[in-house]
Structure formats: structure tokens, C-alpha cells
Amino acid sequence: MHPFYQTKHERFSCFSTENISFPAHLHRSVELLFVIEGALEVTVQDQTMILNSGGIALIFPDMLHSYQTDAANKVFLCIFNPEYVGDYYNLFRGQQPQVPFLNSEHLHPDVSLGISRMLEFNQTTPAISEAWLHLILTYLLPNVKLSPLKRTDNTELTHMLIHYISQHFQEALTLERIAGDLHFNKYYISRIFAKKLHCGFYDYLNRIRLDYAAHLILKSDQKLTGIWQESGFESQRTFNRAFQKEYGMTPTEYRKIKP
């Protein structure tokens, strides 16, 4: 699963995925996550919770969020633009959840049913899948306490950094280059990574590159030499070492699990 590389300009997208892990990121869409099986650690802004089967995270636009899997799981993700659900547009753009998590015991039974129907009809009859989303939101939102959205300079810079890296991660990137292009002090940018993204700049950059490389390994027949170069790594040795550390296997071994 590679949420960082999804087109966030899509009006509506829903799918299931397994064993999702991804560093802190944000976008201007709404993200609805439902744990189908297993457990998943989800962090939204400064709040972290381990969601078990039936748990939900409702992530509003521009809210920093990340996923961490320590064991096998299966989750449902729905990503949609606020404009898509017109009745809730102002709510999604002007409010934010005080607590973005909901446990299974607080959910109407039709929520689980609706999510299974969304997956069932998403490929064959998208209109039915989309209609279920509206019903699910009708059940969920009354159970979510909201407060006015607070934007800070740090939020805007974080969004700028993530967007910049998404556009340039395949190139030779340094803090100095980013600072010069975005007109911020490099030490200030480094602190943003530490405080908001909870990792160093190069750790974050490598995680993005590895995620992209893993995607190419599984979804294409491209040679590994071309993949590490396209992903932005300086050498095959650096790529192999980073890949082994992140995934616990070599790129060649990873390709063998391709379905």
C-alpha cells in the first residue's frame, strides 16, 4: 500500500490493503480508515491509538497522520475530496476532530456493512459505493466531537515540505536545496521534521524512496538497477542496505512475493 503516491486530486477512491505502514504525511482530502482484521497503530496529529478490528480513524484535510504495522492486518481506506460530499463540505474544511478515532463498540452496525458494500460495488457500480459513503458519514459524524480548525505556520510549512519531497524525491535532495527553494532556514526545516514528522530529513526521504521502489518492484517488471536509480538512491549498495533494513529482505527476495 502506497498512500503517498496516490493522486489526492481524485474525487473518490476506496480499496482494501494489508500490512500498511507509512511515515507522517498529509493531504487536502478526507481519509476514512477501517480495520477489517488485526490491529494497526495510527497517529493523527499528536494522538496515537492502536486500532483493533472494527476501529475507525476519520482524518480531516491537512491533518498529519501515519500508520505503523507490527503484525498482520487488513484495512479499508476511502479517500475523497471534501467537495465530493457537499452537505459536509464546510464541516470538513472548517472543523477538526478532537479525537479522530472511533472504536467498534461506538459504531452503528450498518457502518461495517456499508464498508463491505463499498468494496463490493466499487469496481462494478461506483455510484452505489459512493452512496454508502454518505450513509456511513451520517452514522459517524454525530459521534465525533469537533472544534474549529487551527492552522499554524508550522502546518503550512509541513504541507509545503511534504509536497516538495513528493515532487523531487527522485532527485539529489539536501536540506540546503530545500531551504533555498522554499526560502526557509535549513535548521528550522530540520526542527519541523523532528517535531512534526518525528524523524530526521534523510530518514523521511529514504522511507519515501523505499516505498516507491517497493511499489515498482511489485507492480512492474523493471530491472532492479533501473528501480534504485529511478527511486533516487545514489548507489545500488546504499539501496540494498536501506531496503534490507526496512523490509527484512533483499529487493530480489521481495520481488518473489509478487502475486
Side-chain angles (χ1 to χ4, degrees):
M1 164 54 190
H2 308 273
F4 192 86
Y5 302 104
Q6 288 172 17
T7 303
K8 294 299 188 265
H9 300 295
E10 286 181 320
R11 181 169 173 259
F12 169 85
S13 174
C14 74
F15 50 92
S16 64
T17 186
E18 297 180 357
N19 306 331
I20 179 174
S21 288
F22 204 79
H25 60 289
L26 47 74
H27 45 74
R28 301 194 184 280
S29 298
V30 182
E31 193 161 324
L32 170 65
L33 180 147
F34 176 84
V35 180
I36 300 173
E37 300 173 2
L40 175 68
E41 180 180 295
V42 181
T43 298
V44 182
Q45 302 288 77
D46 297 321
Q47 300 183 59
T48 298
M49 178 171 285
I50 295 177
L51 294 178
N52 296 305
S53 179
I56 277 182
L58 186 58
I59 303 161
F60 279 35
D62 296 324
M63 297 189 77
L64 201 65
H65 55 289
S66 63
Y67 314 115
Q68 179 62 46
T69 289
D70 294 323
N73 61 46
K74 182 177 182 180
V75 303
F76 163 89
L77 277 171
C78 181
I79 301 169
F80 56 94
N81 286 342
E83 294 86 351
Y84 170 69
V85 284
D87 292 344
Y88 297 114
Y89 174 80
N90 290 331
L91 183 150
F92 282 127
R93 295 305 305 171
Q95 304 283 318
Q96 61 183 11
Q98 295 179 16
V99 178
F101 309 114
L102 292 166
N103 293 319
S104 57
E105 59 264 26
H106 299 138
L107 300 180
H108 192 284
D110 282 354
V111 170
S112 179
L113 171 65
I115 286 171
S116 66
R117 292 292 184 265
M118 288 179 73
L119 289 172
E120 177 183 352
F121 291 103
N122 186 48
Q123 298 298 322
T124 58
T125 317
I128 295 178
S129 183
E130 295 170 9
W132 273 105
L133 172 62
H134 286 74
L135 181 60
I136 289 171
L137 291 175
T138 300
Y139 284 131
L140 291 183
L141 288 170
N143 297 309
V144 178
K145 294 183 179 180
L146 302 172
S147 59
L149 178 63
K150 296 180 180 179
R151 297 182 183 275
T152 66
D153 291 341
N154 284 349
T155 300
E156 293 302 321
L157 176 55
T158 303
H159 194 285
M160 290 169 61
L161 288 171
I162 290 174
H163 178 73
Y164 184 96
I165 292 174
S166 74
Q167 299 298 311
H168 300 282
F169 71 92
Q170 295 164 292
E171 306 165 14
L173 279 187
T174 63
L175 272 175
E176 288 78 8
R177 174 182 167 182
I178 295 178
D181 288 350
L182 298 183
H183 307 291
F184 282 92
N185 181 283
K186 71 174 185 178
Y187 299 107
Y188 182 57
I189 290 177
S190 182
R191 287 197 295 272
I192 293 296
F193 274 97
K195 292 183 178 181
K196 293 294 184 180
L197 301 177
H198 308 293
C199 63
F201 162 67
Y202 289 104
D203 290 333
Y204 186 85
L205 177 60
N206 273 345
R207 186 63 185 86
I208 299 304
R209 288 171 170 171
L210 286 170
D211 187 78
Y212 183 70
H215 174 74
L216 292 180
I217 290 171
L218 292 183
K219 300 298 182 180
S220 76
D221 295 321
Q222 189 174 345
K223 293 182 178 180
L224 294 178
T225 300
I227 288 177
W228 69 256
Q229 291 174 335
E230 183 177 338
S231 301
F233 286 93
E234 296 179 356
S235 69
Q236 185 167 3
R237 181 182 178 183
T238 301
F239 169 62
N240 287 341
R241 185 169 59 247
F243 197 97
Q244 176 84 41
K245 180 179 179 181
E246 181 66 30
Y247 291 95
M249 64 183 76
T250 67
T252 300
E253 292 169 336
Y254 190 76
R255 172 158 272 174
K256 291 179 181 179
I257 69 175
K258 182 175 181 178

PDB file of all heavy atoms in Angstrom, residues 23 28 40 49 62 88 97 119 137-138 189 209 217 219 229:
ATOM      1  N   PRO A  23       5.139   6.674   6.850  1.00  0.00           N
ATOM      2  CA  PRO A  23       5.506   7.778   7.743  1.00  0.00           C
ATOM      3  C   PRO A  23       4.504   8.914   7.664  1.00  0.00           C
ATOM      4  O   PRO A  23       3.584   8.925   6.827  1.00  0.00           O
ATOM      5  CB  PRO A  23       6.876   8.213   7.220  1.00  0.00           C
ATOM      6  CG  PRO A  23       6.878   7.795   5.788  1.00  0.00           C
ATOM      7  CD  PRO A  23       6.089   6.516   5.736  1.00  0.00           C
ATOM      8  N   ARG A  28      -4.990  17.186   1.196  1.00  0.00           N
ATOM      9  CA  ARG A  28      -6.192  18.006   1.316  1.00  0.00           C
ATOM     10  C   ARG A  28      -7.480  17.220   1.102  1.00  0.00           C
ATOM     11  O   ARG A  28      -8.538  17.794   0.868  1.00  0.00           O
ATOM     12  CB  ARG A  28      -6.115  19.190   0.346  1.00  0.00           C
ATOM     13  CG  ARG A  28      -4.891  20.066   0.614  1.00  0.00           C
ATOM     14  CD  ARG A  28      -4.962  21.402  -0.096  1.00  0.00           C
ATOM     15  NE  ARG A  28      -3.744  22.164   0.094  1.00  0.00           N
ATOM     16  CZ  ARG A  28      -3.439  22.870   1.168  1.00  0.00           C
ATOM     17  NH1 ARG A  28      -4.293  22.895   2.180  1.00  0.00           N
ATOM     18  NH2 ARG A  28      -2.309  23.534   1.257  1.00  0.00           N
ATOM     19  N   LEU A  40      -3.727  -2.002  13.992  1.00  0.00           N
ATOM     20  CA  LEU A  40      -2.902  -1.011  13.310  1.00  0.00           C
ATOM     21  C   LEU A  40      -2.698   0.181  14.231  1.00  0.00           C
ATOM     22  O   LEU A  40      -3.658   0.681  14.826  1.00  0.00           O
ATOM     23  CB  LEU A  40      -3.582  -0.551  12.013  1.00  0.00           C
ATOM     24  CG  LEU A  40      -2.892   0.570  11.233  1.00  0.00           C
ATOM     25  CD1 LEU A  40      -1.572   0.077  10.651  1.00  0.00           C
ATOM     26  CD2 LEU A  40      -3.797   1.086  10.122  1.00  0.00           C
ATOM     27  N   MET A  49      -3.175   5.872  18.544  1.00  0.00           N
ATOM     28  CA  MET A  49      -4.018   4.810  19.079  1.00  0.00           C
ATOM     29  C   MET A  49      -3.793   3.538  18.271  1.00  0.00           C
ATOM     30  O   MET A  49      -3.579   3.595  17.055  1.00  0.00           O
ATOM     31  CB  MET A  49      -5.491   5.197  19.031  1.00  0.00           C
ATOM     32  CG  MET A  49      -6.435   4.100  19.523  1.00  0.00           C
ATOM     33  SD  MET A  49      -8.158   4.639  19.720  1.00  0.00           S
ATOM     34  CE  MET A  49      -8.024   5.616  21.232  1.00  0.00           C
ATOM     35  N   ASP A  62      -5.579  18.104   5.755  1.00  0.00           N
ATOM     36  CA  ASP A  62      -4.413  18.778   6.332  1.00  0.00           C
ATOM     37  C   ASP A  62      -4.076  18.313   7.747  1.00  0.00           C
ATOM     38  O   ASP A  62      -3.403  19.033   8.485  1.00  0.00           O
ATOM     39  CB  ASP A  62      -4.599  20.303   6.315  1.00  0.00           C
ATOM     40  CG  ASP A  62      -4.680  20.847   4.904  1.00  0.00           C
ATOM     41  OD1 ASP A  62      -3.983  20.319   4.026  1.00  0.00           O
ATOM     42  OD2 ASP A  62      -5.450  21.798   4.677  1.00  0.00           O
ATOM     43  N   TYR A  88     -21.368  18.097   3.736  1.00  0.00           N
ATOM     44  CA  TYR A  88     -20.385  18.161   4.820  1.00  0.00           C
ATOM     45  C   TYR A  88     -19.167  19.006   4.454  1.00  0.00           C
ATOM     46  O   TYR A  88     -18.184  19.021   5.192  1.00  0.00           O
ATOM     47  CB  TYR A  88     -19.920  16.746   5.176  1.00  0.00           C
ATOM     48  CG  TYR A  88     -21.028  15.856   5.699  1.00  0.00           C
ATOM     49  CD1 TYR A  88     -21.442  14.736   4.978  1.00  0.00           C
ATOM     50  CD2 TYR A  88     -21.662  16.132   6.897  1.00  0.00           C
ATOM     51  CE1 TYR A  88     -22.452  13.915   5.455  1.00  0.00           C
ATOM     52  CE2 TYR A  88     -22.673  15.320   7.379  1.00  0.00           C
ATOM     53  CZ  TYR A  88     -23.065  14.209   6.650  1.00  0.00           C
ATOM     54  OH  TYR A  88     -24.067  13.404   7.125  1.00  0.00           O
ATOM     55  N   PRO A  97     -11.566  16.983  14.209  1.00  0.00           N
ATOM     56  CA  PRO A  97     -11.996  16.145  15.333  1.00  0.00           C
ATOM     57  C   PRO A  97     -11.105  16.373  16.558  1.00  0.00           C
ATOM     58  O   PRO A  97      -9.891  16.480  16.441  1.00  0.00           O
ATOM     59  CB  PRO A  97     -11.816  14.720  14.802  1.00  0.00           C
ATOM     60  CG  PRO A  97     -11.645  14.853  13.331  1.00  0.00           C
ATOM     61  CD  PRO A  97     -11.039  16.184  13.094  1.00  0.00           C
ATOM     62  N   LEU A 119     -16.713  -1.823  -0.863  1.00  0.00           N
ATOM     63  CA  LEU A 119     -15.705  -2.634  -1.543  1.00  0.00           C
ATOM     64  C   LEU A 119     -16.334  -3.517  -2.608  1.00  0.00           C
ATOM     65  O   LEU A 119     -15.765  -3.712  -3.688  1.00  0.00           O
ATOM     66  CB  LEU A 119     -14.963  -3.499  -0.526  1.00  0.00           C
ATOM     67  CG  LEU A 119     -14.009  -2.764   0.412  1.00  0.00           C
ATOM     68  CD1 LEU A 119     -13.493  -3.708   1.490  1.00  0.00           C
ATOM     69  CD2 LEU A 119     -12.847  -2.152  -0.360  1.00  0.00           C
ATOM     70  N   LEU A 137     -20.997   8.311   6.727  1.00  0.00           N
ATOM     71  CA  LEU A 137     -20.688   9.600   7.351  1.00  0.00           C
ATOM     72  C   LEU A 137     -21.839  10.085   8.225  1.00  0.00           C
ATOM     73  O   LEU A 137     -21.636  10.686   9.283  1.00  0.00           O
ATOM     74  CB  LEU A 137     -20.367  10.640   6.278  1.00  0.00           C
ATOM     75  CG  LEU A 137     -19.057  10.427   5.511  1.00  0.00           C
ATOM     76  CD1 LEU A 137     -18.927  11.463   4.402  1.00  0.00           C
ATOM     77  CD2 LEU A 137     -17.859  10.475   6.437  1.00  0.00           C
ATOM     78  N   THR A 138     -23.061   9.805   7.792  1.00  0.00           N
ATOM     79  CA  THR A 138     -24.235  10.186   8.578  1.00  0.00           C
ATOM     80  C   THR A 138     -24.235   9.474   9.935  1.00  0.00           C
ATOM     81  O   THR A 138     -24.638  10.041  10.956  1.00  0.00           O
ATOM     82  CB  THR A 138     -25.522   9.855   7.808  1.00  0.00           C
ATOM     83  OG1 THR A 138     -25.533  10.570   6.564  1.00  0.00           O
ATOM     84  CG2 THR A 138     -26.758  10.267   8.598  1.00  0.00           C
ATOM     85  N   ILE A 189      13.801  24.033   9.180  1.00  0.00           N
ATOM     86  CA  ILE A 189      13.196  22.904   8.475  1.00  0.00           C
ATOM     87  C   ILE A 189      13.534  21.595   9.185  1.00  0.00           C
ATOM     88  O   ILE A 189      12.679  20.714   9.340  1.00  0.00           O
ATOM     89  CB  ILE A 189      13.670  22.869   7.009  1.00  0.00           C
ATOM     90  CG1 ILE A 189      13.058  24.039   6.235  1.00  0.00           C
ATOM     91  CG2 ILE A 189      13.297  21.541   6.345  1.00  0.00           C
ATOM     92  CD1 ILE A 189      13.523  24.147   4.805  1.00  0.00           C
ATOM     93  N   ARG A 209      11.498   7.082  -0.687  1.00  0.00           N
ATOM     94  CA  ARG A 209      12.154   6.417  -1.816  1.00  0.00           C
ATOM     95  C   ARG A 209      11.971   4.905  -1.756  1.00  0.00           C
ATOM     96  O   ARG A 209      11.715   4.258  -2.787  1.00  0.00           O
ATOM     97  CB  ARG A 209      13.646   6.772  -1.816  1.00  0.00           C
ATOM     98  CG  ARG A 209      13.931   8.208  -2.236  1.00  0.00           C
ATOM     99  CD  ARG A 209      15.381   8.587  -2.007  1.00  0.00           C
ATOM    100  NE  ARG A 209      15.698   9.879  -2.624  1.00  0.00           N
ATOM    101  CZ  ARG A 209      16.838  10.534  -2.449  1.00  0.00           C
ATOM    102  NH1 ARG A 209      17.769  10.024  -1.647  1.00  0.00           N
ATOM    103  NH2 ARG A 209      17.042  11.686  -3.064  1.00  0.00           N
ATOM    104  N   ILE A 217       8.887  -2.599  -7.604  1.00  0.00           N
ATOM    105  CA  ILE A 217       9.310  -3.999  -7.589  1.00  0.00           C
ATOM    106  C   ILE A 217       8.116  -4.931  -7.740  1.00  0.00           C
ATOM    107  O   ILE A 217       8.157  -5.922  -8.475  1.00  0.00           O
ATOM    108  CB  ILE A 217      10.082  -4.319  -6.285  1.00  0.00           C
ATOM    109  CG1 ILE A 217      11.448  -3.621  -6.301  1.00  0.00           C
ATOM    110  CG2 ILE A 217      10.262  -5.829  -6.106  1.00  0.00           C
ATOM    111  CD1 ILE A 217      12.194  -3.692  -4.972  1.00  0.00           C
ATOM    112  N   LYS A 219       4.923  -4.015  -8.773  1.00  0.00           N
ATOM    113  CA  LYS A 219       3.945  -3.659  -9.797  1.00  0.00           C
ATOM    114  C   LYS A 219       4.514  -3.569 -11.204  1.00  0.00           C
ATOM    115  O   LYS A 219       3.779  -3.276 -12.143  1.00  0.00           O
ATOM    116  CB  LYS A 219       3.288  -2.322  -9.441  1.00  0.00           C
ATOM    117  CG  LYS A 219       2.563  -2.314  -8.104  1.00  0.00           C
ATOM    118  CD  LYS A 219       1.417  -3.307  -8.070  1.00  0.00           C
ATOM    119  CE  LYS A 219       0.677  -3.247  -6.737  1.00  0.00           C
ATOM    120  NZ  LYS A 219      -0.441  -4.217  -6.682  1.00  0.00           N
ATOM    121  N   GLN A 229      17.773   3.515  -9.241  1.00  0.00           N
ATOM    122  CA  GLN A 229      18.131   4.798  -9.831  1.00  0.00           C
ATOM    123  C   GLN A 229      16.908   5.710  -9.936  1.00  0.00           C
ATOM    124  O   GLN A 229      16.974   6.897  -9.590  1.00  0.00           O
ATOM    125  CB  GLN A 229      18.753   4.582 -11.211  1.00  0.00           C
ATOM    126  CG  GLN A 229      20.117   3.915 -11.171  1.00  0.00           C
ATOM    127  CD  GLN A 229      20.657   3.581 -12.550  1.00  0.00           C
ATOM    128  OE1 GLN A 229      19.903   3.414 -13.504  1.00  0.00           O
ATOM    129  NE2 GLN A 229      21.979   3.475 -12.653  1.00  0.00           N
TER     130      GLN A 229
END
